Amino acid sequence: MSFYIFKNAFLVGVFMAFMIGPVFFMLLKTSILKGARAAIAFNFGVILGDISFILIAYFGSRNLLEKIKDDPRLFLIGGLILIVYGIITYLDKSNKKEVDQDHVEVPTANNYFKLFFNGFLLNFINIGVLAGWLGIMVVVGPTLNMDPSSIFWYFAIVILGYASTDLIKILLAKKLKKKLTPLVIYRIKRGMGVLLIVFGAFFMLKGVLPKEKMNTLIDKVQIESFDNS
């Protein structure tokens, strides 16, 4: 696996870890009230939920992706999923209320198994998370030639980036909780929505433009970014 793909997978994990939602706040709340070990147990459940979604996305779409992996229209499908997910995130009217609305109570005792189960359940019932992983699978799978080993390591690195970022959130929970005002949360979620829409539009463009033109466009953007820096 090239360094570019490794970096890309790690950054995807970091991005997913900062998707503001009930899991995000429950992780902070658990860390503050019960300590780091309890939050880590809760987070293991969350990660198991993500792994379950990744497996569903992989096995649910594998046969279709195997048949059309060289079809550029596949990028249109993956891009469209990301755009829809981004629009839903951007327009979510519950953003300003989530800081005070935790849907799962933190157990009064340090029952690590219950915390683990709560983390898994809270993440697994969020169908939007499945949509996000499905969009990533549809885009990434064909670029890795649907090779099971390459896909495994790609998403293993994604989970590594996700877990590493969550560990930092756990350790900085008290500071993050103070800084995450409703307005800040609202702006972060809208920013995440915009990024998902931009990524989706990029992949849709990749499905429309010939490969040579797309590579030229990417090179041009990279050169302009380098010059500006």
Side-chain angles (χ1 to χ4, degrees):
M1 180 177 290
S2 68
F3 175 75
Y4 174 78
I5 296 177
F6 179 93
K7 181 183 71 172
N8 178 50
F10 191 85
L11 290 177
V12 168
V14 173
F15 179 83
M16 294 295 286
F18 275 101
M19 292 298 292
I20 303 292
V23 168
F24 185 97
F25 293 109
M26 278 301 301
L27 186 64
L28 297 185
K29 182 177 178 181
T30 303
S31 180
I32 292 170
L33 296 180
K34 306 302 298 178
R37 283 188 291 183
I40 290 172
F42 176 85
N43 197 47
F44 276 138
V46 173
I47 291 173
L48 179 61
D50 282 311
I51 292 173
S52 300
F53 277 146
I54 291 171
L55 292 174
I56 292 171
Y58 175 70
F59 288 107
S61 61
R62 182 179 178 182
N63 290 337
L64 176 62
L65 296 182
E66 284 280 7
K67 294 177 182 177
I68 60 175
K69 64 181 180 181
D70 296 322
D71 191 335
R73 288 175 295 181
L74 194 59
F75 287 104
L76 296 176
I77 299 173
L80 182 60
I81 294 174
L82 293 179
I83 288 175
V84 171
Y85 189 31
I87 291 174
I88 293 173
T89 301
Y90 183 85
L91 297 178
D92 186 2
K93 297 300 182 182
S94 66
N95 294 350
K96 294 183 178 180
K97 299 179 181 179
E98 277 185 319
V99 71
D100 298 319
Q101 293 183 353
D102 296 321
H103 302 290
V104 177
E105 293 296 327
V106 178
T108 54
N110 274 359
N111 186 330
Y112 294 118
F113 176 77
K114 190 171 183 179
L115 284 164
F116 174 87
F117 180 75
N118 283 345
F120 172 79
L121 183 63
L122 186 59
N123 198 29
F124 194 75
I125 62 176
N126 189 350
I127 194 66
V129 178
L130 174 59
W133 288 120
L134 180 60
I136 295 171
M137 181 64 69
V138 170
V139 170
V140 171
T143 64
L144 299 175
N145 296 316
M146 293 305 298
D147 177 59
S149 177
S150 298
I151 292 175
F152 170 83
W153 285 111
Y154 182 93
F155 282 97
I157 295 168
V158 170
I159 294 297
L160 175 63
Y162 187 103
S164 300
T165 306
D166 275 349
L167 181 60
I168 294 173
K169 289 186 327 193
I170 290 169
L171 297 176
L172 300 178
K174 291 183 180 179
K175 293 182 180 179
L176 287 174
K177 190 73 172 180
K178 292 178 181 178
K179 294 182 179 296
L180 288 174
T181 64
L183 181 59
V184 170
I185 295 165
Y186 182 71
R187 289 176 175 173
I188 290 175
K189 287 201 74 172
R190 286 171 73 90
M192 291 293 187
V194 170
L195 284 175
L196 284 170
I197 293 170
V198 170
F199 291 150
F202 173 80
F203 288 122
M204 291 188 75
L205 190 62
K206 190 172 182 179
V208 173
L209 291 179
K211 187 174 181 180
E212 294 77 13
K213 288 187 177 181
M214 194 65 196
N215 290 336
T216 302
L217 179 61
I218 294 173
D219 291 339
K220 184 178 179 181
V221 171
Q222 289 176 341
I223 291 173
E224 290 179 354
S225 300
F226 178 78
D227 291 339
N228 291 333
S229 62

